[in-house]
Amino acid sequence: MATNSARDVEHRASETAIPGGGPTVSGLEALRIAAVLGFTPIAAGVIARRPSMMAVLGRLGADAPTVPFVRRLRERYGPGPLQLQLPKRRLAVVLTGGDAGRVLDGSPEPFNPANREKKGALSPFQPHGVLISEGHVRQQRRRINEEALDTSHAMHHLADPMVEVIRHEVAALLASAQSKGTLDSDEFTRTWWRMVRQIVLGKSARDDHAITDQLHKLRANGNWSYFLPPPRKLRDRFIESLYSYVDKAEPGSVVSSLAALPAGGAIDPVGQIPHWLFAFDAAGIATSRALALLSTHPEQRRLARGEVAAWDTTVPQQYPYLRACVLESVRLWPTTPTILRDSTRDTTWGSGDGEFTIPAGTAFMILAPAFHRDDRTFSFANGFAPEVWLDGTAQSRPELVPFSAGPAECPGRNLVLFVTSTVLALMLEAADFQLTSTPALTPGQPLPPTLNNFGLRFRVTST
């Protein structure tokens, strides 16, 4: 059904002229194009994934039309960006990898990460988060994030206590899974959050399900953005709980790093924590999908296990190949499929007689799946190819953005890759996993465009 809608839009779309020129679509046709491009992310849950809807989208392969539809837009209108004149909003769809790189490299000026729609979605649970901050305050909040998360280092300076937590929780998970012979997404997710709460907030948070339940409810409210009032009382209770953990600042936790940093009240260091927890949710999704890939691809599993065997898993390690596997998981199934920026000034595009201006205040949309899965650009588009993250191939392509890119790239990128690769290393070291859920992930065959992480199930045996 989505494919037919995409073709219908292509046949009916018409160009219109606006000040500044450039390819533009308005009226009903612009709404239809926006609906095709936004359907899957919105249906899945932009801020909090909806398990039942993810199951439906997975069965439909709902992301499949994205690549051909964006390709047809590019063929019809040129390299763009293609402007959609929507009611009270102008949206520019980025159609080429080079333009995607330009937008991301140009953050925060002239392409502001604090996009209007993003503010509406994130403010219910992180009103002072760096992603929706601007100007001097944004700079200071970005600095606080980078220092607390050790952005510039492959391994966080608290990697030793983190590994201790990960080893303990993975051992308990595997003991249960091996005794039953199975592992499902629910059990993995429960373990994941026990681990994340300890890494971020401290060991006393291990069983504080209430705080992550509160976060989930706040995120679910963010799915509805401007349609629902923010649950202020729930948010206040959630933030108050975060302050209690920062006040304790348990040694070995990320909040202990945060508490040690000098920062004025306007910076609101505690207000940065909600996004760390939010980002770790996506990291758990990526980890379970990476495990599914490794459990179904013998050659990559052999290489991963060889890497694990060569390292001492009781101490922090970088695991380059496993990091690449996680990056591939996010390339194949982006946890942030749509990247948004708002332009702060007029920007010029094209060249020569084809040069045109897109006015300030335009929302620029980068659809990661349209680039990540473009099989005309990448021979590995629909396969599992961790090597592209090791040989420089991926880094040379600005449109491959598993953690966004540019000055606003995720400051927790290295911390997430450290935690996820360590989890995978310990799991692969101790057990064999066979994916038993559908769809099958078959070597040499195109991987499904949409993968419901909530439906993943594995048969587990001891190595």
Side-chain angles (χ1 to χ4, degrees):
M1 185 169 64
T3 302
N4 291 336
S5 297
R7 289 173 179 168
D8 184 60
V9 170
E10 181 200 9
H11 290 316
R12 295 187 183 187
S14 60
E15 284 191 66
T16 61
I18 63 166
T24 306
V25 177
S26 62
L28 181 59
E29 311 311 329
L31 289 172
R32 289 178 174 173
I33 292 175
V36 171
L37 297 178
F39 170 73
T40 301
I42 292 172
V46 176
I47 305 300
R49 299 292 188 271
R50 302 181 177 102
S52 59
M53 185 56 69
M54 282 294 296
V56 173
L57 296 172
R59 288 195 295 270
L60 294 176
D63 289 296
T66 303
V67 172
F69 183 59
V70 170
R71 182 182 296 148
R72 286 194 292 270
L73 291 178
R74 187 165 54 242
E75 291 169 351
R76 182 181 180 93
Y77 295 106
L82 173 63
Q83 299 167 79
L84 306 181
Q85 186 60 58
L86 304 170
K88 299 182 180 180
R89 191 65 159 141
R90 179 179 288 109
L91 176 66
V93 183
V94 176
L95 299 178
T96 68
D99 284 351
R102 175 186 170 184
V103 169
L104 295 175
D105 287 342
S107 298
E109 296 288 341
F111 302 107
N112 185 4
N115 158 270
R116 187 193 308 174
E117 288 75 21
K118 194 184 299 181
K119 287 181 178 180
L122 297 181
S123 59
F125 66 97
Q126 50 167 304
H128 298 157
V130 66
L131 277 183
I132 53 176
S133 302
E134 301 180 75
H136 178 72
V137 170
R138 180 198 177 275
Q139 294 176 4
Q140 295 303 309
R141 288 174 178 166
R142 177 75 189 193
R143 176 184 62 80
I144 286 292
N145 275 271
E146 291 184 352
E147 292 183 10
L149 299 174
D150 267 2
T151 299
S152 61
H153 297 89
M155 286 193 293
H156 198 278
H157 69 277
L158 296 174
D160 283 309
M162 290 179 187
V163 168
E164 177 187 338
V165 167
I166 296 169
R167 285 181 58 81
H168 180 268
E169 296 301 335
V170 169
L173 173 68
L174 291 176
S176 172
Q178 288 169 321
S179 68
K180 295 185 298 184
T182 61
L183 173 65
D184 62 24
S185 175
D186 288 344
E187 188 170 8
F188 176 85
T189 301
R190 286 192 293 269
T191 295
W192 180 261
W193 278 116
R194 282 195 291 266
M195 193 169 55
V196 168
R197 287 191 293 264
Q198 292 176 81
I199 289 172
V200 176
L201 303 174
K203 290 188 176 181
S204 64
R206 180 185 187 272
D207 297 313
D208 189 356
H209 306 285
I211 196 167
T212 38
D213 287 346
Q214 289 170 348
L215 175 60
H216 181 77
K217 291 176 182 177
L218 290 166
R219 289 172 55 199
N221 180 270
N223 279 345
W224 296 99
S225 191
Y226 299 104
F227 298 102
L228 291 176
R232 300 185 189 281
K233 291 184 179 180
L234 177 60
R235 184 174 70 191
D236 289 347
R237 291 197 301 272
F238 172 63
I239 297 297
E240 184 178 351
S241 297
L242 294 180
Y243 268 96
S244 71
Y245 282 109
V246 175
D247 287 343
K248 290 186 289 188
E250 294 181 36
S253 66
V254 179
V255 297
S256 70
S257 294
L258 185 71
L261 297 174
I267 305 306
D268 188 12
V270 176
Q272 310 314 303
I273 301 173
H275 192 74
W276 301 352
L277 296 171
F278 173 35
F280 264 117
D281 185 26
I285 293 171
T287 305
S288 63
R289 288 170 171 166
L291 182 63
L293 288 164
L294 287 165
S295 72
T296 53
H297 289 71
E299 178 58 18
Q300 287 86 346
R301 181 171 63 247
R302 182 187 68 80
L303 292 171
R305 279 203 162 130
E307 177 176 77
V308 173
W311 299 69
D312 180 357
T313 58
T314 65
V315 297
Q317 305 291 353
Q318 290 194 33
Y319 303 115
Y321 191 79
L322 284 174
R323 287 181 179 230
C325 291
V326 175
L327 288 166
E328 266 295 88
S329 167
V330 186
R331 178 188 71 80
L332 288 161
W333 302 291
T335 50
T336 304
T338 304
I339 301 173
L340 297 171
R341 299 285 188 267
D342 279 355
S343 60
T344 58
R345 65 171 187 262
D346 294 355
T347 53
T348 302
W349 304 83
S351 60
D353 293 339
E355 186 175 284
F356 61 96
T357 299
I358 297 181
T362 298
F364 283 77
M365 170 191 281
I366 298 171
L367 291 155
F371 297 116
H372 291 189
R373 290 294 198 106
D374 186 350
D375 55 2
R376 292 187 184 176
T377 301
F378 303 115
S379 60
F380 54 84
N382 295 308
F384 180 36
E387 64 275 6
V388 303
W389 299 97
L390 300 171
D391 63 12
T393 298
Q395 291 82 350
S396 69
R397 302 301 305 229
E399 65 267 51
L400 297 182
V401 286
F403 284 84
S404 188
E409 181 181 40
C410 174
R413 181 183 191 275
N414 279 330
L415 176 56
V416 163
L417 289 175
F418 167 68
V419 172
T420 54
S421 62
T422 300
V423 169
L424 289 171
L426 293 170
M427 294 182 79
L428 292 174
E429 181 182 50
D432 286 319
F433 297 86
Q434 179 184 353
L435 186 69
T436 57
S437 53
T438 57
L441 309 182
T442 307
Q445 297 296 319
L447 291 166
T450 308
L451 183 64
N452 173 26
N453 59 285
F454 298 107
L456 294 176
R457 296 185 302 278
F458 302 88
R459 181 176 297 115
V460 184
T461 56
S462 300
T463 54

